[in-house]
Amino acid sequence: MRINGAQALLECLKNEGVELVFGYPGGVVLKLYDEIYKSKFPNILTGHEQGAVHAADGYARATGKVGVVIATSGPGAANLITGIATANMDSVPLVCITGQVASPAIGKDSFQEVDVCGITAPITKHNYLVKNVEELPRVVKEAFFIAQTGRPAPVCIDIAANVFNTEIDFEYPEKINLRGYTDENPCDEKAVDEVVAAIEKADFPLVFVGGGVIISETSNILREILNKLDCPCTSTLMGLGSIEPDREGYLGFAGMHGSYGANIAIQNCDLLLCIGMRFSDRVTGKVAEFAPHAKIVHFEIDPAEVNKNVQVDIKVLGDLKNSLPLLRDKLNQSEVDFAKKFNSWKNYSIEIGNKYPFGYKTDGEIIKPGALISKISEICDKNTIAVTDVGQHQMWAAQFFKVQAPRQFLTSGGLGTMGYGLPAAMGAKLACPEKNVVLFTGDGSIMMNIQELATIADNNIDIKIVIVHNFILGMVGQWQRLFYNHHYSASELNLKRDFIKIAEAMGVRGYRLTKAEELETKLPEILNSKGAAVIDVYVPQDENVLPMVPGGKRLDQMVLS
């Protein structure tokens, strides 16, 4: 089949099972977009390239598939950087296709030329510059393989403009051969035996689960292990959904704004089983005094993460798809009655957690963020995907929204990217049209990519956008209150921002809630209605996210009130 490079690229995407892409056209990718037009290949035109890459990210997180984004050269490619870095920090598989100036013009500061490979090298798993059309099928095959195997991450393919026009005898490769890289990540059985022995010896074990369990699709196996051990468990922010929220012994998520019970259990346990997590500073608090009494076990696919932040006693390298079934089987063979042995420790941990649960104080007709999100969690069905931006509302969502299953809580964890939420929610809904999608955002975050309201209207994307509106950059304001003598430097937001008018101007319905009673009288009907809606909810400016572990403090040195 003799076709041009643009057609060849689309054939490659079809061979990889890509159902739609997110993208924004420009000069050097016009040939590609002409072939997209001719073939009716689904492309979601966003309002900004950053919106496109975050949408591809949301699509990938909601499904586990590779998200695909297309941008033109120069500023188009550069506008992807924040989204690529966001996905890279959270191990999200993306293939980012960027146009580049024609091969003879590369390196000459040509119009709309940037060094895409140089810029993206630190924030991708791998990248390519394609100057010869003959290389294109192999490169695309390799890019998808690299992006979704091992520890997933973005891969960038930068394609010179002349490649799109040059003809090729197209044949998509069946196999690839990457020296030094495979998708095989076996685990060390001896290390698993060592873990089982440590569990049998422990008196106060705690299972600590991260996003790797969700990425590896091993949540069901994890839950079998938890059933067997019947000991306390916690998760990171990225691990929400891997453990049932109502499981007895689940202490909530841990870390800077995590639960009192989870943080105290980490500091008191004698064995910490860390599964698919990377010991972020937001999780550990003061590293030197993290889990001081515990033998630490680390199940991890990426060798670079082991002993990077926290020194561990037992490492189990390999894919959780291999190591967790082996751990489950070996625990089932053990003669120890784990449920009986750990029962008092589990009950103690639950009791400690119940002393300071996530909560809020009601205040007349004022809507409290905790009440708002708790009510939304109550209204929504168990298949709802919750998406967040970054800030106070993100932490309140993690505290009060009950995430029932994996891939149902999408948030920028590692990079903390304001503006992530709206396009990511869009991508999640397009990926899972049968599921309800609710976005929690703030009056700061929503402004970062608010142009995507037009994309939502143009494509009839049914998501509910809840703005936790406190007239301030919430988390910045909280730190300024607590640590900078209430000096609200460049954080207070203009009272004249009318998100209802903005939404309606872009074709999306808007509602405003200002009284607590409206959580009962208006909110359910809005959430259950069909079509996209912006729900602007006024909450107090001085409401803090608590508990909170101040920077440099131990996990048990929490500010509780």
Side-chain angles (χ1 to χ4, degrees):
M1 183 167 60
R2 191 158 184 83
I3 54 178
N4 61 47
Q7 293 170 318
L9 177 57
L10 296 181
E11 288 299 319
C12 292
L13 296 182
K14 292 175 186 177
N15 273 275
E16 290 295 333
V18 175
E19 297 168 336
L20 80 164
V21 298
F22 301 87
Y24 204 104
V28 304
V29 293
L30 285 181
K31 180 61 177 177
L32 173 60
Y33 270 88
D34 190 52
E35 297 300 341
I36 286 174
Y37 176 87
K38 291 176 183 177
S39 65
K40 296 183 171 57
F41 194 93
N43 175 87
I44 302 299
L45 172 64
T46 56
H48 192 284
E49 289 91 352
Q50 188 182 133
V53 67
H54 287 325
D57 176 303
Y59 182 97
R61 294 196 204 214
T63 60
K65 300 177 182 178
V66 177
V68 180
V69 60
I70 298 173
T72 193
S73 65
N79 282 339
L80 298 181
I81 299 304
T82 300
I84 295 173
T86 299
N88 190 59
M89 287 286 279
D90 291 343
S91 303
V92 179
L94 298 182
V95 167
C96 305
I97 298 166
T98 56
Q100 184 54 274
V101 298
S103 297
I106 292 175
K108 298 182 179 180
D109 291 334
S110 303
F111 178 67
Q112 291 193 330
E113 179 191 4
V114 297
D115 179 6
V116 173
C117 287
I119 293 171
T120 62
I123 54 171
T124 55
K125 192 172 179 181
H126 195 56
N127 59 28
Y128 296 88
L129 171 58
V130 181
K131 296 190 286 185
N132 183 341
V133 71
E134 300 293 337
E135 299 175 352
L136 189 59
R138 172 187 60 81
V139 165
V140 174
K141 181 78 171 179
E142 289 179 3
F144 275 84
F145 179 74
I146 293 169
Q148 61 191 320
T149 54
R151 181 179 180 177
V155 176
C156 185
I157 308 175
D158 195 33
I159 306 174
N162 51 287
V163 170
F164 294 122
N165 291 289
T166 307
E167 289 195 340
I168 180 179
D169 290 321
F170 178 78
E171 184 178 354
Y172 199 59
E174 295 182 5
K175 298 180 180 179
I176 61 173
N177 182 21
L178 291 169
R179 188 172 62 182
Y181 183 85
T182 73
D183 59 349
E184 296 178 2
N185 290 281
C187 71
D188 182 354
E189 186 171 353
K190 290 183 179 179
V192 176
D193 287 333
E194 195 175 348
V195 173
V196 173
I199 295 172
E200 290 176 335
K201 186 178 179 181
D203 293 310
F204 314 118
L206 180 67
V207 176
F208 198 177
V209 178
V213 171
I214 293 172
I215 293 168
S216 61
E217 308 281 4
T218 54
S219 295
N220 288 339
I221 298 170
L222 169 74
R223 293 179 182 191
E224 291 180 37
I225 292 170
L226 292 175
N227 289 340
K228 178 67 176 179
L229 295 179
D230 200 23
C231 67
C233 54
T234 182
S235 73
T236 66
L237 180 71
M238 304 306 296
L240 287 172
S242 55
I243 303 172
E244 312 96 304
D246 296 323
R247 171 183 283 273
E248 186 180 44
Y250 176 58
L251 305 174
F253 77 105
M256 177 174 280
H257 292 291
S259 77
Y260 179 81
N263 287 352
I264 294 298
I266 290 171
Q267 295 301 95
N268 288 336
C269 69
D270 65 357
L271 178 67
L272 189 60
L273 293 165
C274 301
I275 303 174
M277 57 165 287
R278 61 182 183 85
F279 299 102
S280 160
D281 58 288
R282 285 298 188 266
V283 162
T284 62
K286 188 176 181 180
V287 175
E289 298 180 45
F290 173 76
H293 310 296
K295 175 178 280 191
I296 300 178
V297 173
H298 194 188
F299 285 79
E300 175 59 47
I301 196 169
D302 186 354
E305 292 295 344
V306 178
N307 294 325
K308 184 173 80 174
N309 296 326
V310 170
Q311 294 296 307
V312 303
D313 299 286
I314 305 173
K315 64 179 180 180
V316 185
L317 283 172
D319 196 324
L320 295 179
K321 289 179 181 177
N322 299 317
S323 58
L324 287 192
L326 190 59
L327 176 63
R328 174 199 59 196
D329 295 344
K330 288 182 178 292
L331 288 174
N332 286 336
Q333 294 168 10
S334 175
E335 296 180 359
V336 177
D337 186 341
F338 295 112
K340 182 178 180 181
K341 184 179 182 184
F342 302 144
N343 185 63
S344 61
W345 158 240
K346 182 185 75 173
N347 291 336
Y348 168 79
S349 298
I350 294 171
E351 183 181 343
I352 290 293
N354 287 340
K355 287 185 177 181
Y356 301 102
F358 292 134
Y360 52 88
K361 293 181 180 179
T362 57
D363 187 4
E365 284 301 297
I366 295 173
I367 299 175
K368 290 300 186 80
L372 168 66
I373 295 170
S374 294
K375 187 62 181 178
I376 293 172
S377 181
E378 176 188 320
I379 295 168
C380 291
D381 65 40
K382 291 187 176 183
N383 291 317
T384 298
I385 297 174
V387 187
T388 84
D389 260 303
V390 169
Q392 283 184 312
H393 63 272
Q394 176 189 30
M395 296 297 104
W396 282 317
Q399 291 178 350
F400 295 105
F401 192 91
K402 290 189 175 183
V403 187
Q404 300 291 341
R407 305 196 181 279
Q408 289 183 199
F409 188 81
L410 313 185
T411 193
S412 171
L415 199 63
T417 304
M418 291 176 67
Y420 167 81
L422 184 58
M426 198 165 66
K429 182 63 179 181
L430 288 168
C432 306
E434 76 286 356
K435 293 184 179 181
N436 294 324
V437 176
V438 175
L439 167 65
F440 296 103
T441 185
D443 46 328
S445 282
I446 190 64
M447 291 296 291
M448 293 281 187
N449 274 306
I450 200 166
Q451 76 283 340
E452 301 310 332
L453 286 175
T455 309
I456 288 166
D458 289 346
N459 294 278
N460 297 313
I461 303 171
D462 182 358
I463 62 175
K464 302 302 185 288
I465 300 151
V466 180
I467 302 175
V468 183
H469 195 158
N470 55 5
F471 307 97
I472 194 168
L473 301 178
M475 194 61 82
V476 172
Q478 176 167 327
W479 279 68
Q480 290 172 332
R481 273 194 299 279
L482 296 177
F483 308 116
Y484 294 93
N485 297 317
H486 290 76
H487 294 169
Y488 293 132
S489 177
S491 59
E492 291 183 291
L493 302 176
N494 196 314
L495 299 180
K496 296 180 181 179
R497 295 187 181 197
D498 192 332
F499 294 111
I500 306 305
K501 289 183 178 179
I502 293 173
E504 291 175 346
M506 293 196 190
V508 176
R509 291 173 298 138
Y511 303 87
R512 181 172 290 116
L513 306 182
T514 61
K515 297 180 180 180
E517 66 182 31
E518 292 173 324
L519 300 185
E520 301 290 341
T521 60
K522 292 185 178 180
L523 183 60
E525 182 180 353
I526 299 170
L527 288 176
N528 290 322
S529 65
K530 289 189 176 182
V534 168
I535 311 168
D536 188 22
V537 186
Y538 286 9
V539 302
Q541 186 183 90
D542 60 356
E543 189 84 1
N544 290 325
V545 177
L546 296 173
M548 177 182 181
V549 180
K553 298 296 184 181
R554 298 191 311 267
L555 288 182
D556 56 355
Q557 294 177 312
M558 286 169 277
V559 177
L560 297 171
S561 64

